[in-house]
Amino acid sequence: MNLVLLFESDFSDRTGLAVLEDRRFRHVVNVHRAATGTTLKVGFLNGRTGTGHIVAMDSKSLTMEVELVNDPPPPLPLNLVLALPRPKVLNRVIAAASSMGVKKIWLIHAAKVEKSYWQSPRLSDENLFAQSVLGLEQAKDTVMPEIMLKRRFKPFVEDEIPGIIGKNLALCADPSGSVPCPFNQTAPVTLAIGPEGGFIPYEIDLLIHNGFTPVHLGKRILRVETALPAVVYRLFSPDIL
Amino acid sequence: MNLVLLFESDFSDRTGLAVLEDRRFRHVVNVHRAATGTTLKVGFLNGRTGTGHIVAMDSKSLTMEVELVNDPPPPLPLNLVLALPRPKVLNRVIAAASSMGVKKIWLIHAAKVEKSYWQSPRLSDENLFAQSVLGLEQAKDTVMPEIMLKRRFKPFVEDEIPGIIGKNLALCADPSGSVPCPFNQTAPVTLAIGPEGGFIPYEIDLLIHNGFTPVHLGKRILRVETALPAVVYRLFSPDIL
């Protein structure tokens, strides 16, 4: 936790002080060894970042004076279209995407996504929010990604993808891609990543027909949690990362 | 599992047939729906890849005719020096490194590595081997990475690092690095990645003094499991990945 993300509800009274008593309280006490007098890096959800100076602490909570003076880091100009991963992997992928500054994520169905994955409690708003918070805290960001669930591949690709892509570059990471993934981009990109086992040829064709270019990252087939940072840090210039 | 990795011990009799009855058996039955007559992609530990044709199966085991005809993918020309991650993260990082073709990994101590991490049973030879196998199976590779444990930072950096680097590029991924990480490399690289919380200034200085250049990946601080694929796929040309 490189930044403590604060919410409206943390400012519980009219003093302007923030009171923490949950996971964040335990983390700053146990990991950061925070005490009265400690100053922590904080940020306000979807707002600015700054400092939180601990003015009081007991065994259950701490109280901070908060000063918010800096803008959060710029968002990554990436629309991420991701075949719904296994529930076990979903949390890590959402946290990683959030830490890299991705602000729009569409979790979509595909032939090789098991239908049962859509029943996972990890797809609840509460859990997706919690995982996104972990990523923001990691990267000192405050701006919550928006996560959309699309349970039908064809209508999503045909009806929504063209509007999402607009006039920007759209790439589909696929080991069968004949072109290597470009690099040092600074303009917005829409990126699609398939499920374990890949998109099937019909899906690749539909993606191509709707604006995507399949690109490869080399010869090796990577897991989605490895492929995502690999593509993002290949694709974009460090200037905007 | 994109390849079933086979071991000497799987070839238990003089027929030349391989018999599987462990995790790999259950996986190919439950996930790949393999049956008698199915042909699977296989590879022999540290050897060639090819096909395994299932000639017999019962509820506990399968028997394959194996033909090994192809070389495994080329290794990644990367020496990876990694501050020992939290045990919870270690397995994933080893499997990811193995899937990317890393063949030499030094797990090292650093000021911000908790001493207790060195007691983790996940550092056993058996577990490191098992996690490496998962990465090889993912990337259709057969060549087992070598993992070395270095519990003392200074003697390792001073006495061993210069010989490991040789005349090649040596980079230390660090958010404080003033130079962006280079890209499209094809020559060997030694890469150091710090612990959560980073290398301390004394450690960075010692790394620089012994041949490393600190490079950054952008403004965001990434977790090690995100940073590793990010650097590797930023650093190397897709031609050799």
Side-chain angles (χ1 to χ4, degrees), chain A residues 31-219:
Chain A
V31 179
H32 296 287
R33 310 281 174 209
T36 302
T38 302
T39 298
L40 299 166
K41 173 108 182 156
V42 303
F44 190 77
L45 179 68
N46 294 325
R48 309 191 91 182
T49 66
T51 53
H53 184 73
I54 301 177
V55 294
M57 188 187 286
D58 60 26
S59 63
K60 286 185 178 167
S61 73
L62 64 81
T63 304
M64 284 194 292
E65 254 173 24
V66 173
E67 199 179 10
L68 299 168
V69 291
N70 299 309
D71 286 330
L76 190 71
L78 180 73
N79 293 318
L80 179 61
V81 175
L82 194 66
L84 180 64
R86 273 184 300 144
K88 199 180 152 189
V89 175
L90 178 67
N91 282 1
R92 300 203 295 267
V93 172
I94 295 297
S98 170
S99 75
M100 292 187 286
V102 180
K103 299 304 175 199
K104 291 211 169 205
I105 305 171
W106 289 265
L107 295 172
I108 69 168
H109 192 62
K112 292 197 181 167
V113 170
E114 284 190 31
K115 289 233 171 71
S116 64
Y117 295 175
W118 289 101
Q119 309 309 320
S120 168
R122 297 201 173 179
L123 281 173
S124 68
D125 288 350
E126 294 70 22
N127 181 61
L128 294 175
F129 186 87
Q131 300 308 320
S132 300
V133 167
L134 294 178
L136 297 178
E137 290 173 342
Q138 171 66 33
K140 301 185 190 171
D141 196 354
T142 68
V143 182
M144 189 59 56
E146 197 183 342
I147 303 177
M148 283 119 331
L149 309 185
K150 299 292 171 181
R151 288 157 201 258
R152 294 177 63 211
F153 182 83
K154 189 164 180 274
F156 172 69
V157 174
E158 291 186 331
D159 304 339
E160 301 190 51
I161 276 292
I164 292 167
I165 295 177
K167 296 187 170 179
N168 295 314
L169 192 60
L171 305 174
C172 165
D174 194 80
S176 72
S178 56
V179 189
C181 180
F183 55 95
N184 275 348
Q185 301 291 308
T186 54
V189 176
T190 298
L191 171 71
I193 296 184
E196 282 181 59
F199 287 120
I200 61 172
Y202 162 79
E203 291 167 338
I204 292 280
D205 288 346
L206 202 68
L207 289 168
I208 292 172
H209 190 73
N210 286 280
F212 284 93
T213 301
V215 295
H216 72 80
L217 280 168
K219 287 164 217 77

